[in-house]
Amino acid sequence: MVMVLHRLAGASLLLAATLACAQTPYAEDSTYRGLGGQEGIKKIVDTFIPLILADERIKATFEDTDMKQLAERLAEQFCEFSGGPCKYTGKYKGKDMASVHIDLKISNAQFNALAEDLQIAMERNHVPNSVANKLIATLAPMQRDIVTTGAALSHSRPDMGNFLATGGVSQLEGAGGGGITPWALISGYGTRDSWGGNVHYTHVKTQDYSLAAYGVALGIADRVEISLARQDFKGSLAPLDQLQIKQDIIGLKLRVAGDAVYEQDRWLPQIAIGILYKKNKGVGGLGALGVTNVTQLGAKDDSGYDYYVSATKILFEQSLLLNGTLRATRANQMGILGFGGDRNDSTRLMPEVSLAYLVNRKLALGAEYRRKPHNLLLDEEKAYYDAFIAWFPNKNLSLTAAYAHLGDITVLNKKKQKGWYLSLQAGF
């Protein structure tokens, strides 16, 4: 991860110093073979150099660089780090990264831009994703010593500087994460020096019901997330074919520890705490039965709070994302059927888990589970779970499809509700 470095012979230098600072190879010969040996590494570097020279985010850094010499040093370092027979011969050998980069004023966005260009170069040379991720896993912790400033960035506009897909997608209640559970990741692609956000629309269709969810989320300094969402729940089968319930949700999330992306050399996950305030807007379509509010269905309240703590770990070397969330809640069906009920009215802790396999930098496959309270006599509420595929063609767009199992929803339609879930997210 190869950073923005200095100037070669007095001019700009981005990668060589970073790579030069590592003391020992990070992997075994299998990685060297996975990169294609010396010939394959040369092809990767030959692809990588034009990418960084064309990258508007960082190309100015290389205006005075001897690119031929830089290419030679990079090839040596990739070979050495991957367990090959090469040795680095450049002038930064033996120096630690912190001392080399302390005065270079490298930002997170610049660091990540180089890493992304390296990922693209490996991708174009058909390097297996597992091999590419091992290299990224080793380079990521270097961020602590290499990134020394955010002063070059403007806080007035988003920098879109974080890695592709690392903000997750939009969860049904508006928070960043998976489809049915929030993660500790912060929405948007803004780095710690900037901000970012997204708008989303999600549609879920089961045998008897449909749910539309839409909203906006804003991430600030990769630490704070604010989200607004609206849920529109409808029945499609008698006797609830006219049913319509709307709910508004305001969310706040704060990252309190760890870093899911850069701390590949530590077991501590990224940890965030969050709160969701939910306000049910009443029941439509059941006026003939005298029902206009969820409290008439057995709920104790038509508004309430969910509190949660999430822990997320991205394991690049294994191409995995793991998340665990613990939620304190009284919500019935996420709050769509109100809060508390005639069966139970206490706040209880409910576990939620997610697992995703990173097929490549643009595609993830995964599964989620979310346990829920059973508060209403009218509703034999069961756990949610799904299997999903998320595609991130670029930082401005993502598409998530899932097959979801939502369990029973009211005793009036006794089928276990399951069906397809589709979510579209636009980033800015």
Side-chain angles (χ1 to χ4, degrees), residues 300-364:
K300 293 297 184 183
D301 299 290
D302 62 4
S303 65
Y305 293 89
D306 282 2
Y307 307 91
Y308 65 88
V309 57
S310 293
T312 305
K313 188 68 177 177
I314 297 175
L315 303 171
F316 276 123
E317 190 164 350
Q318 289 76 31
S319 299
L320 289 176
L321 179 149
L322 306 175
N323 179 80
T325 295
L326 192 61
R327 184 190 302 250
T329 183
R330 296 169 57 236
N332 311 318
Q333 302 292 357
M334 296 185 290
I336 292 170
L337 296 182
F339 302 83
D342 42 20
R343 185 177 181 274
N344 179 75
D345 191 35
S346 62
T347 297
R348 289 186 285 178
L349 293 176
M350 296 285 114
E352 306 172 15
V353 294
S354 302
L355 181 149
Y357 177 70
L358 309 176
V359 179
N360 55 49
R361 67 188 187 90
K362 293 185 176 182
L363 192 67

Side-chain angles (χ1 to χ4, degrees), residues 111-130:
F111 181 87
N112 292 347
L114 276 159
E116 287 178 338
D117 289 341
L118 177 58
Q119 287 177 307
I120 293 169
M122 290 188 287
E123 189 177 83
R124 291 183 180 178
N125 285 278
H126 311 293
V127 174
N129 189 59
S130 59

Side-chain angles (χ1 to χ4, degrees), residues 42 82 139 240 340 374 385 405:
K42 182 180 184 305
S82 61
L139 297 175
L240 300 178
H374 177 194
Y385 51 92
H405 192 296

Side-chain angles (χ1 to χ4, degrees), residues 237-289:
L237 185 70
L240 300 178
D241 53 311
Q242 300 300 311
L243 175 66
Q244 184 170 359
I245 302 175
K246 295 181 184 294
Q247 179 170 241
D248 290 336
I249 304 173
I250 302 173
L252 179 65
K253 183 194 298 182
L254 175 66
R255 178 163 67 93
V256 295
D259 192 297
V261 175
Y262 298 127
E263 295 184 350
Q264 294 295 307
D265 56 342
R266 299 175 180 175
W267 282 106
L268 178 70
Q270 182 164 316
I271 300 171
I273 55 175
I275 180 172
L276 298 168
Y277 171 71
K278 305 177 180 182
K279 174 63 178 176
N280 195 286
K281 308 298 285 187
V283 178
L286 299 183
L289 300 177

